[in-house]
Amino acid sequence: MATSESSIAAGNIQEEDKPKSKRPKETKFKQQNLPAWQPILTASTVLPAFFAIGLAFIPLGVALFITSDNITEFTFDYTECSQVGGTGTCAEFFEDVNNTGKVCNCQINATLEKFDDSVYVYYGLTNFYQNHRRYVRSRDDDQLHGDGVSPGSLNDDCDPYKTTSINGTTFGYAPCGAIANSLFNDTFTITFLGTGETVGLLKTGIAWKSDKDVKFNNPSNYDSFTKPPNWNVPVTQLDPQNPDNNGYENEDLIVWMRTAALPTFRKLYRRVNHSSTFADGLPAGQYQIDIEYKYPVTAFDGTKSIIISTTSWLGGKNPFLGIAYIVVGSLCILLGIIFLFIHIKFGKKSSEMINVTPRDSY
Amino acid sequence: MEMVKLAQVYFIMQDVEMYDPETDRPMECRALNITEDLGQIQYIFSDKTGTLTENRMEFKSCTVGGVNYLHVPCDDDLDSRSDSYSHQSYAASSRTSSIVENLSLEPALQRELSNMCLRSLDSVELTIPPHVRRVQEFFLLMAVCNTVVVSYIHEDLMDDSGYIADDPPPNKPGPIKPLPVKDTLEKPSMNKMNMQSSTPSSLKSRSLLSLSVSESGDASESGSVAGSSFLSVGSQRMHYEAESPDELALVKAANTYGCKLTRRSPGKVTVAFPAENDEVELEVLNILHFDATRKRMSVIVRHPMTRNIILYVKGADSSIFSVLHPKYETDEDCKRELKNTQDHLDGYARKGLRTLCMAKRVLSESEYQAWAMSHKAAESDMNEREELVMHSCVALEKDLELLGATGIEDKLQEGVPSTIANLRQAGIKVWVLTGDKQETAIQIANSCQLFSPDQTIVTINASSLEETREALDNALAQLREDQKQLDLLADSSRSHLGSQVSLFSVLSQFSMGGVGNDAGQLNHALVIDGKTLAFATTPELERRFLKICLHCRSVVCCRATPIQKASVVKLVRDNLKKMTLSIGDGANDVSMIQTADIGVGISGQEGMQAVMASDFAIAKFRFLERLLLVHGHWNHDRLCKFSAIMFYKSLITVFILFWFQIFSGFSGSLMIDSLYLTMQHVLFTSLPPLANGVFDKDLSVETLISDPTLYKPGQRGEMYTHWTYMIVLLDSLYQSLALYFIPHIAYQSHGVGLWEFGTTCDVCMIITILLTICIETNSWVWIQWVCVVVSFVLFWAFLLVSNAIFFTFDHPSNPYWVFMNTVSTASHSSIVILTVFVSLLPRLVVRSLQISVYPNEIGMAKRKEKQREQDMLLSDQVDTATATTLPTHGNGSGGGRVLNSHNPSPLTSTPGTSQSSMNGEGQSELRVLNTHLYTKNTGPSRRKESRFENRAFSTSVPGQGWRGAMSPDSQVSEGGGDEGGTPSTYVRQRSHLSNSDNSVVT
């Protein structure tokens, strides 16, 4: 039939025109038909997860708790420590403005239990807002990095501890800024009264290696720089015993410059040198701690304390994590049980419910 | 946000389901930022012509001189119309019945037209009965009174069809010699008309050539832009181009009857008559163009023989009837004729036909000359040209002699009724604003299920403000009464629903149908005409009008001007504060489209103005369903979630930083490196929400389409309320507390540095945010996986890299090696694990409880979907099991929940049916039936019968789309399945229903 064939031929012509067609491509991507996984959170699907998490968390919490519990820690708040050879406390001593920059000696006698393994000495400060925005900013990392920064090009955030004028010449503070200026400078000497030996305290190895190696470097010289106003000694004489532990690379400085996150914080002061008597830690017994009290804290209602502690893989003593894990784990088990109940009660009901198609009501 | 919308728009446009192969038009999004509004539509304002209907006019019937010529469509035609899908088959069926137009010729008309020639049109000639003359003149008018342009395209037959005809075209085109081709075209209509109309096949050998030619013309027509059509004259192809499809339909109809418009040039038209060998040239003296005020157009022609000047007028019935000759009010015959015509017109309108009236007037030479002078003057006027021309037209168009009227069918677009039904099920109110006549509008509203039979139709027609007020008040009172009655009915639960039929009328302008709604809600439909609308939308009355509208489930405004359409939209949008969507295709819908929140243009026949003004352009009305129910729902859901996540992300960051302020002297200090905070929103947590915003699907397409009610939550704005934000706020508050204080307390007695603390907090926060997004994700495609993983890796890598390089520009933080020192500690990892879990716990619990215990609509649908998936897997297994054990037919207990949606054809997995359970036996039986039906379906000989079955089995028969599930029959069958009974009776019951031979089943 001519008719039918011609129409087919006409169809073919249309077929050839197809490439020009605006028809969207029928790919799975474009049609949003990609294979999809559609999980639905129901009591029954969440239930096993809760049990599993609960069962994992509780032992973990117990482990954490035991670890934290095994840490031996001694803390002594010496803010109101009485001055040796003086009338009042060292806090009172520093209330006298004339005594600013002077030393107040004080002494603590403490009975310590046995400290195993590595022992660390910390100083702890409270109500000290090292995280205050302006305080945090008040430093110059380039200067601490050892780049030859001129006093004029110090970070403006260092103000008012940026530059000073001595005899008409402008000197920069080395290091500049409020953080450095407020460097904690009390010193502790711990004596084991059992043998009369002084516990050897190491000044190095207390800062992060990365900080000591990269962040903090000594400049070639400290020309046209001077010590911060609150300091008694210039930055080059922070450690009289070890010339390598001076300048910006001084580890006490480095530790201090790593500002604390919270107003109550502790910072590593020294490592105990585990030799002779103290090879296995600190033996139990009477200790005398001599403190050169130079750092006033009562002005900002702060306190300061000395902390002697062992450590663990978890860090310092803090039972919170262990307890939290146990609590959350128990909660999960409880939720799991509740969900099981719900699943039994509602699981059937809802499967009946979904049998009722919405259209049935019409 | 904009990126998400952009991507959403891209994917909407890529949806192949909304691509129209006929016009080669994909979905087009012209506005890029309102995708989420698609999920909240409450009111749809639709144009009728070209939107609900195809705007492909077909001449259906006419009345001449009070005699009605109903063109009863042949069976074939009816058949193909009932199955609205296949256009191909439609074309095929139309080909057999008539050549040019899908029109079955009316024998009587053909007889009367057969001797139509120039002479017969001479009004002086008395040998011809006046009625016949009138008919002939009527057709001449149809052919002449228009602005259709005829063009010829020179084409070889071969190029045209791609097929070389064996018999060479025997014709030499020329006006003098009768053309053989023309002959074959005309002869049947002249001499063998009766035979032809009854048995079209008698044509076959003789008119083979012409058929092939016209067929190719036909084919190209179906593919080409409508408004033009090809007709063949020898190797030359005649091509009509008309401004309006109505004109085209008329010219084509006249052409079919042999009264051909063959050429039009300024000043004359050439027409071929059935009984005239030559083509006749008529001198056209003037064309008085159509305008909206007159609502009619006319031509003035000079009869070539009698030199009579005749004015032919064509226009809306009201506009013609108002300017008829006075004798129509006095003369009895004329009165009767007018009345008959009017009756016929009403009948046409009831059938949903567009009506046009034809009239003429014979002018005397002097009268014409006088008028021509004044008209010329009017035309040349510089200032008020239009008005003057109109007045001069009006001056001439009077004392008309009525010739007759035509009814043109404007076919409903495919899928319109089901689309409207689904949209309404989705809680969207559909209003139709049309310029058409009231009767036509109501008819169309009925046929597209806008009005259901049990609906009470409230009609408000008034001609003044006072009347309008009265009518509105009455309607309101009636509505209240009905409501009361309904309440009473519900209270007393008396069962005389049927007796509620209350008929009443107020001022004969207000009528009501029966009340038959047993739901406790009013089920009224409002019909209001343009004039009344003008009053109703005045500030004074608009409140009452709206009150009525609120009580009505559907509203039809007819005879509405474009500005009125816009004002109605504005009224609803502004006063009801509802999300509105306008859909239309023509220039007259532009204002309405622009006024609504969302304008949708149908890129159809009436040019591109509507599309240009629209936000979204679709090719067919039925695409609206998918656009709203699927894309609208998805995008609304996605954007709600997206913005909630964004809100959450910002909140949590801010809260964490805030908690830190308490411990840093409220100094505005940051513990998290500002660099991380900047990157957090840009890089670390941005990708997964973006991916979710584009790819996440809460429900599948099938579910959304099959259950339009799922659209309602979006519409009610349930996903995006103050509560959503309160919950997000509370959750982020809780999470931030956990995220801050767990590290805080855990680190308290450690000598933790500011930046280490911040790093731990940040790691916790990023992981928590990412996992929260995971919890909120409904469906996972690989892109979302990749995004989550990439985000985390990116974060980790960024921290590693930035902490491995010494730099000081990020003052005050100097992150060198901070991350490594932090992460390497055991406390960091234990804190992170604990914190993240504790933060996510409430959301996890609430989400799972929500779906388990108090599932909302979407949650339920989601579970249903999941269930179905599992059942599908199960049924696959059972299917193979039953296939092997079929002969022994194990009883249903073993089969468990088996669905009939396991059918190989993907189309059959209709969600609606999936819940009906049956055992293996019934299943296999049904499958046998299915295959039987399938083969039957393919056989054209029994098409009708198989279609009937199809409908009955629409839930399970392959080849019938998901739409089949909407049909009431399927619900019946579904119910049958659910009610139980043995499966075999179930099938038999249905086979009964379908009238098919039972032997197949048993």
Side-chain angles (χ1 to χ4, degrees):
Chain A
M1 283 283 287
T3 53
S4 63
E5 282 197 49
S6 63
S7 67
I8 289 167
N12 284 342
I13 288 170
Q14 282 186 340
E15 209 88 280
E16 282 162 26
D17 289 342
K18 267 280 158 67
K20 281 183 232 157
S21 162
K22 288 181 199 152
R23 182 185 167 88
K25 284 208 184 68
E26 219 169 318
T27 60
K28 278 191 168 176
F29 175 71
K30 287 191 173 178
Q31 296 308 316
Q32 306 200 1
N33 265 333
L34 292 166
W37 174 60
Q38 283 188 294
I40 303 176
L41 288 172
T42 57
S44 48
T45 47
V46 175
L47 202 144
F50 275 154
F51 278 118
I53 288 167
L55 290 176
F57 269 26
I58 291 175
L60 193 62
V62 171
L64 288 171
F65 187 77
I66 291 170
T67 311
S68 172
D69 206 43
N70 283 341
I71 292 170
T72 327
E73 192 179 275
F74 164 80
T75 310
F76 189 88
D77 183 340
Y78 67 95
T79 319
E80 303 291 331
C81 168
S82 28
Q83 190 183 9
V84 176
T87 49
T89 61
C90 281
E92 284 160 4
F93 176 77
F94 282 104
E95 275 167 23
D96 185 353
V97 185
N98 296 328
N99 291 333
T100 306
K102 289 183 184 164
V103 181
C104 170
N105 288 302
C106 82
Q107 209 172 57
I108 308 162
N109 287 307
T111 314
L112 302 186
E113 49 188 311
K114 185 163 178 2
F115 283 74
D116 288 322
D117 303 327
S118 307
V119 182
Y120 296 86
V121 180
Y122 302 85
Y123 55 87
L125 294 168
T126 61
N127 208 25
F128 193 109
Y129 284 82
Q130 256 205 327
N131 55 14
H132 192 280
R133 188 174 59 89
R134 290 198 58 196
Y135 184 86
V136 169
R137 296 184 70 85
S138 189
R139 65 192 285 164
D140 188 319
D141 282 313
D142 288 326
Q143 185 191 30
L144 297 169
H145 190 237
D147 303 343
V149 186
S150 67
S153 61
L154 283 173
N155 197 316
D156 287 337
D157 287 330
C158 280
D159 264 346
Y161 306 107
K162 185 183 165 191
T163 53
T164 182
S165 182
I166 303 168
N167 303 327
T169 329
T170 305
F171 283 92
Y173 287 121
C176 80
I179 310 177
N181 188 42
S182 60
L183 176 70
F184 184 80
N185 56 358
D186 284 4
T187 56
F188 308 122
T189 314
I190 305 168
T191 316
F192 180 45
L193 295 178
T195 60
E197 276 178 276
T198 306
V199 179
L201 297 175
L202 299 173
K203 289 183 166 186
T204 52
I206 55 173
W208 283 353
K209 203 174 171 302
S210 61
D211 280 0
K212 191 164 168 74
D213 290 352
V214 179
K215 260 191 191 173
F216 294 84
N217 287 308
N218 286 332
S220 49
N221 60 69
Y222 295 94
D223 299 346
S224 71
F225 281 95
T226 181
K227 72 175 180 65
N230 286 4
W231 288 20
N232 294 325
V233 289
V235 73
T236 46
Q237 294 162 28
L238 283 173
D239 189 351
Q241 280 91 41
N242 183 0
D244 289 340
N245 193 22
N246 270 318
Y248 301 144
E249 290 180 34
N250 178 273
E251 294 201 20
D252 284 335
L253 178 68
I254 294 173
V255 168
W256 183 254
M257 294 303 287
R258 193 156 60 85
T259 52
L262 305 168
T264 301
F265 62 90
R266 64 172 65 170
K267 282 184 184 289
L268 189 54
Y269 177 67
R270 295 287 182 266
R271 295 187 294 141
V272 170
N273 187 4
H274 293 289
S275 57
S276 63
T277 321
F278 311 109
D280 301 323
L282 296 180
Q286 282 288 317
Y287 286 82
Q288 179 188 315
I289 304 166
D290 295 296
I291 299 162
E292 284 184 27
Y293 195 126
K294 303 173 200 166
Y295 201 74
V297 290
T298 42
F300 54 88
D301 292 333
T303 62
K304 51 184 181 177
S305 43
I306 177 168
I307 299 139
I308 302 167
S309 172
T310 58
T311 189
S312 70
W313 55 271
L314 195 60
K317 193 182 181 83
N318 189 351
F320 170 75
L321 270 180
I323 294 169
Y325 265 96
I326 294 170
V327 168
V328 173
S330 316
L331 190 70
C332 278
I333 300 280
L334 187 71
L335 278 171
I337 293 165
I338 293 171
F339 273 44
L340 191 67
F341 172 73
I342 289 169
H343 175 61
I344 292 164
K345 195 173 175 217
F346 289 93
K348 209 174 174 192
K349 192 178 147 197
S350 55
S351 70
E352 278 162 15
M353 211 148 55
I354 57 171
N355 266 340
V356 183
T357 56
R359 204 182 302 126
D360 286 351
S361 57
Y362 286 83
Chain B
M1 195 75 116
E2 297 304 314
M3 273 168 68
V4 170
K5 288 182 178 179
L6 207 66
Q8 286 179 348
V9 161
Y10 172 77
F11 280 106
I12 293 177
M13 284 169 70
Q14 289 301 324
D15 194 339
V16 80
E17 295 283 327
M18 293 201 289
Y19 164 77
D20 183 23
E22 258 172 73
T23 52
D24 188 30
R25 280 205 180 92
M27 166 79 208
E28 204 181 325
C29 299
R30 306 179 54 83
L32 302 178
N33 53 357
I34 50 172
T35 46
E36 82 279 17
D37 290 352
L38 288 175
Q40 297 178 283
I41 296 300
Q42 283 162 307
Y43 283 85
I44 290 180
F45 299 94
S46 174
D47 175 38
K48 187 183 75 67
T49 315
T51 307
L52 298 177
T53 60
E54 283 195 54
N55 204 14
R56 192 168 295 162
M57 303 300 171
E58 273 165 29
F59 180 82
K60 279 292 169 216
S61 47
C62 60
T63 169
V64 184
V67 180
N68 197 1
Y69 297 95
L70 286 173
H71 292 64
V72 183
C74 59
D75 290 346
D76 238 7
D77 196 24
L78 198 80
D79 212 0
S80 57
R81 185 152 356 110
S82 64
D83 176 10
S84 60
Y85 194 67
S86 157
H87 241 271
Q88 221 47 28
S89 75
Y90 178 68
S93 65
S94 67
R95 230 170 260 159
T96 50
S97 60
S98 76
I99 295 157
V100 179
E101 171 105 16
N102 179 29
L103 176 68
S104 51
L105 302 174
E106 184 86 5
L109 264 185
Q110 282 181 322
R111 199 163 43 244
E112 279 152 9
L113 281 171
S114 58
N115 59 347
M116 177 171 177
C117 62
L118 209 51
R119 185 177 295 279
S120 68
L121 286 171
D122 187 354
S123 50
V124 205
E125 191 105 22
L126 289 172
T127 52
I128 298 166
H131 180 69
V132 172
R133 201 174 64 230
R134 215 186 214 146
V135 169
Q136 290 174 357
E137 204 156 14
F138 180 77
F139 274 87
L140 177 66
L141 191 150
M142 267 168 63
V144 171
C145 180
N146 52 47
T147 51
V148 171
V149 177
V150 191
S151 58
Y152 291 88
I153 301 167
H154 260 283
E155 261 174 321
D156 282 341
L157 268 177
M158 193 181 76
D159 288 345
D160 184 10
S161 58
Y163 172 75
I164 306 165
D166 282 335
D167 34 358
N171 55 321
K172 287 190 179 77
I176 312 297
K177 257 175 82 178
L179 303 175
V181 174
K182 203 171 103 190
D183 200 46
T184 50
L185 264 175
E186 282 168 11
K187 256 187 186 149
S189 60
M190 283 163 55
N191 308 330
K192 298 185 165 189
M193 53 194 123
N194 292 331
M195 210 175 114
Q196 192 242 352
S197 57
S198 55
T199 56
S201 56
S202 64
L203 269 170
K204 59 185 171 202
S205 57
R206 281 198 55 208
S207 59
L208 198 136
L209 175 66
S210 69
L211 258 179
S212 84
V213 173
S214 63
E215 235 171 40
S216 56
D218 215 281
S220 66
E221 184 202 355
S222 67
S224 74
V225 192
S228 63
S229 95
F230 291 98
L231 298 170
S232 61
V233 175
S235 64
Q236 283 187 322
R237 300 226 334 251
M238 215 155 85
H239 183 202
Y240 287 143
E241 280 169 3
E243 275 176 7
S244 80
D246 300 72
E247 286 194 342
L248 193 72
L250 291 179
V251 175
K252 275 157 72 183
N255 196 312
T256 313
Y257 277 104
C259 182
K260 291 177 205 269
L261 175 72
T262 55
R263 190 165 282 121
R264 175 184 291 278
S265 55
K268 58 191 172 210
V269 285
T270 316
V271 186
F273 293 127
E276 193 98 23
N277 283 341
D278 285 348
E279 289 171 349
V280 177
E281 257 185 27
L282 293 169
E283 194 184 343
V284 177
L285 299 170
N286 283 91
I287 294 178
L288 312 179
H289 285 282
F290 180 86
D291 70 51
T293 3
R294 274 161 57 230
K295 285 186 176 153
R296 56 185 177 247
M297 76 157 289
S298 36
V299 289
I300 304 169
V301 293
R302 189 191 292 277
H303 196 281
M305 285 175 74
T306 58
R307 310 295 294 165
N308 273 348
I309 297 171
I310 310 166
L311 173 78
Y312 287 125
V313 188
K314 177 186 82 178
D317 48 359
S318 58
S319 64
I320 298 283
F321 287 173
S322 60
V323 290
L324 286 179
H325 196 271
K327 73 177 176 186
Y328 283 97
E329 284 178 17
T330 51
D331 189 85
E332 269 307 307
D333 278 354
C334 290
K335 244 179 165 172
R336 198 172 55 245
E337 188 193 315
L338 184 65
K339 194 183 171 302
N340 280 343
T341 310
Q342 182 70 60
D343 287 348
H344 297 150
L345 279 176
D346 290 346
Y348 294 165
R350 270 195 295 280
K351 276 191 278 177
L353 302 180
R354 293 159 72 92
T355 54
L356 278 175
C357 274
M358 317 288 182
K360 73 158 197 177
R361 181 184 172 205
V362 180
L363 302 170
S364 68
E365 186 71 37
S366 56
E367 189 182 3
Y368 171 71
Q369 290 304 340
W371 175 83
M373 290 286 284
S374 69
H375 188 67
K376 209 160 223 165
E379 273 183 333
S380 54
D381 192 286
M382 300 296 281
N383 301 323
E384 297 162 352
R385 181 174 175 273
E386 275 178 29
E387 200 171 322
L388 286 174
V389 167
M390 194 194 84
H391 280 304
S392 92
C393 291
V394 170
L396 197 68
E397 289 162 347
K398 60 178 187 191
D399 301 340
L400 298 176
E401 190 183 327
L402 186 68
L403 283 175
T406 56
I408 299 169
E409 188 189 35
D410 192 359
K411 267 179 61 181
L412 272 188
Q413 275 186 20
E414 55 174 299
V416 165
S418 72
T419 302
I420 289 189
N422 283 348
L423 289 177
R424 287 184 50 178
Q425 217 185 337
I428 302 171
K429 292 192 174 168
V430 183
W431 291 24
V432 172
L433 312 177
T434 177
D436 275 350
K437 292 186 57 165
Q438 191 160 317
E439 289 79 13
T440 318
I442 292 174
Q443 184 54 40
I444 289 285
N446 274 330
S447 61
C448 62
Q449 292 188 17
L450 191 61
F451 292 169
S452 45
D454 59 343
Q455 240 173 358
T456 313
I457 297 177
V458 180
T459 316
I460 301 179
N461 294 334
S463 50
S464 73
L465 192 68
E466 297 308 308
E467 273 179 63
T468 309
R469 179 181 311 167
E470 211 164 322
L472 287 174
D473 284 343
N474 281 327
L476 258 180
Q478 184 59 33
L479 284 171
R480 278 202 204 98
E481 204 142 293
D482 284 355
Q483 182 70 61
K484 247 183 243 162
Q485 275 181 346
L486 276 172
D487 291 345
L488 251 155
L489 210 68
D491 286 346
S492 58
S493 71
R494 274 172 298 169
S495 58
H496 61 287
L497 286 172
S499 67
Q500 283 299 313
V501 180
S502 65
L503 270 161
F504 82 108
S505 68
V506 181
L507 296 169
S508 73
Q509 290 155 345
F510 187 51
S511 66
M512 284 198 79
V515 180
N517 191 10
D518 49 348
Q521 224 186 343
L522 279 174
N523 190 8
H524 287 77
L526 179 75
V527 178
I528 189 163
D529 76 349
K531 226 188 228 169
T532 322
L533 198 61
F535 300 119
T537 49
T538 53
E540 190 187 343
L541 293 176
E542 63 181 23
R543 297 223 65 81
R544 292 170 218 226
F545 174 58
L546 276 175
K547 233 182 235 170
I548 295 172
C549 290
L550 277 178
H551 284 108
C552 294
R553 284 182 58 190
S554 33
V555 176
V556 170
C557 304
C558 32
R559 290 280 186 233
T561 62
I563 294 151
Q564 277 181 336
K565 288 181 181 182
S567 73
V568 170
V569 175
K570 197 166 166 0
L571 194 69
V572 171
R573 195 195 62 185
D574 293 349
N575 291 8
L576 298 181
K577 302 268 181 292
K578 297 286 167 73
M579 205 52 111
T580 53
L581 179 146
S582 289
I583 179 162
D585 72 325
N588 58 345
D589 307 319
V590 169
S591 57
M592 166 170 109
I593 286 171
Q594 280 168 339
T595 314
D597 295 300
I598 296 183
V600 177
I602 301 249
S603 43
Q605 331 243 322
E606 284 186 25
M608 294 300 279
Q609 292 103 316
V611 171
M612 290 303 176
S614 68
D615 302 315
F616 298 93
I618 53 180
K620 287 273 157 68
F621 183 78
R622 70 188 153 93
F623 296 150
L624 194 64
E625 181 183 3
R626 196 179 165 86
L627 182 66
L628 295 184
L629 296 187
V630 178
H631 288 287
H633 177 92
W634 278 350
N635 290 339
H636 181 63
D637 180 63
R638 287 165 181 167
L639 272 172
C640 288
K641 291 218 170 100
F642 181 78
S643 50
I645 287 282
M646 286 302 176
F647 185 56
Y648 154 81
K649 269 169 53 180
S650 316
L651 271 183
I652 203 166
T653 318
V654 169
F655 277 137
I656 286 180
L657 294 176
F658 176 75
W659 304 132
F660 181 64
Q661 298 315 305
I662 299 173
F663 302 97
S664 68
F666 294 99
S667 58
S669 179
L670 301 172
M671 77 290 204
I672 300 172
D673 197 326
S674 53
L675 205 60
Y676 307 162
L677 286 175
T678 318
M679 294 302 223
Q680 180 188 328
H681 289 299
V682 179
L683 274 181
F684 307 147
T685 58
S686 63
L687 287 178
L690 277 179
N692 273 2
V694 179
F695 294 102
D696 194 29
K697 296 188 219 172
D698 58 342
L699 293 167
S700 67
V701 183
E702 291 79 21
T703 315
L704 287 173
I705 292 271
S706 67
D707 186 1
T709 49
L710 290 172
Y711 187 75
K712 283 181 177 169
Q715 200 178 33
R716 293 194 294 259
E718 275 175 11
M719 299 186 229
Y720 202 70
T721 58
H722 298 299
W723 268 110
T724 323
Y725 279 103
M726 276 311 287
I727 287 163
V728 167
L729 185 95
L730 288 176
D731 188 47
S732 48
L733 195 67
Y734 166 81
Q735 289 201 352
S736 66
L737 281 170
L739 286 173
Y740 178 77
F741 282 101
I742 292 175
H744 179 109
I745 299 168
Y747 274 134
Q748 197 151 44
S749 53
H750 295 218
V752 66
L754 184 65
W755 307 118
E756 299 139 73
F757 178 65
T759 303
T760 303
C761 283
D762 200 28
V763 170
C764 293
M765 178 163 71
I766 298 282
I767 296 177
T768 305
I769 289 176
L770 289 177
L771 288 178
T772 304
I773 294 167
C774 292
I775 292 178
E776 293 299 315
T777 305
N778 291 304
S779 64
W780 289 87
V781 300
W782 60 266
I783 296 165
Q784 283 151 300
W785 285 115
V786 166
C787 281
V788 170
V789 172
V790 160
S791 295
F792 186 71
V793 169
L794 211 61
F795 169 64
W796 208 259
F798 180 82
L799 258 59
L800 269 178
V801 170
S802 70
N803 281 253
I805 303 163
F806 178 85
F807 58 87
T808 54
F809 60 78
D810 187 28
H811 189 77
S813 92
N814 184 350
Y816 183 76
W817 225 250
V818 170
F819 177 64
M820 292 71 159
N821 282 323
T822 313
V823 168
S824 57
T825 60
S827 54
H828 169 82
S829 350
S830 43
I831 287 170
V832 168
I833 293 169
L834 182 72
T835 309
V836 168
F837 184 74
V838 170
S839 315
L840 293 174
L841 199 58
R843 191 175 276 261
L844 205 64
V845 169
V846 168
R847 279 273 174 245
S848 46
L849 279 187
Q850 200 180 10
I851 293 181
S852 303
V853 185
Y854 307 107
N856 56 4
E857 287 148 304
I858 287 172
M860 268 172 49
K862 219 186 261 184
R863 288 186 65 172
K864 227 162 68 190
E865 219 169 70
K866 189 85 180 173
Q867 184 93 33
R868 195 167 62 243
E869 243 167 63
Q870 287 165 358
D871 286 346
M872 217 101 115
L873 282 174
L874 188 72
S875 75
D876 276 349
Q877 294 160 6
V878 175
D879 195 27
T880 48
T882 46
T884 50
T885 60
L886 191 62
T888 56
H889 88 85
N891 212 356
S893 55
R897 292 178 49 79
V898 183
L899 313 169
N900 60 357
S901 58
H902 76 287
N903 257 305
S905 161
L907 290 169
T908 58
S909 55
T910 52
T913 65
S914 57
Q915 300 306 319
S916 60
S917 63
M918 57 185 82
N919 68 10
E921 191 191 357
Q923 215 179 17
S924 54
E925 277 190 353
L926 193 68
R927 209 175 328 127
V928 170
L929 192 64
N930 283 350
T931 40
H932 169 72
L933 284 172
Y934 192 61
T935 50
K936 242 180 160 185
N937 207 13
T938 49
S941 54
R942 300 178 67 180
R943 189 196 289 162
K944 208 167 171 185
E945 194 181 325
S946 75
R947 179 169 307 109
F948 187 53
E949 285 175 6
N950 256 0
R951 218 173 294 134
F953 278 84
S954 56
T955 53
S956 52
V957 175
Q960 194 85 10
W962 40 262
R963 207 171 281 131
M966 303 301 139
S967 75
D969 306 50
S970 73
Q971 281 188 31
V972 170
S973 64
E974 221 173 286
D978 278 342
E979 276 157 25
T982 63
S984 52
T985 55
Y986 164 56
V987 173
R988 234 173 258 133
Q989 211 177 343
R990 294 229 256 147
S991 63
H992 220 65
L993 211 149
S994 66
N995 278 344
S996 80
D997 32 1
N998 281 337
S999 61
V1000 184
V1001 185
T1002 54

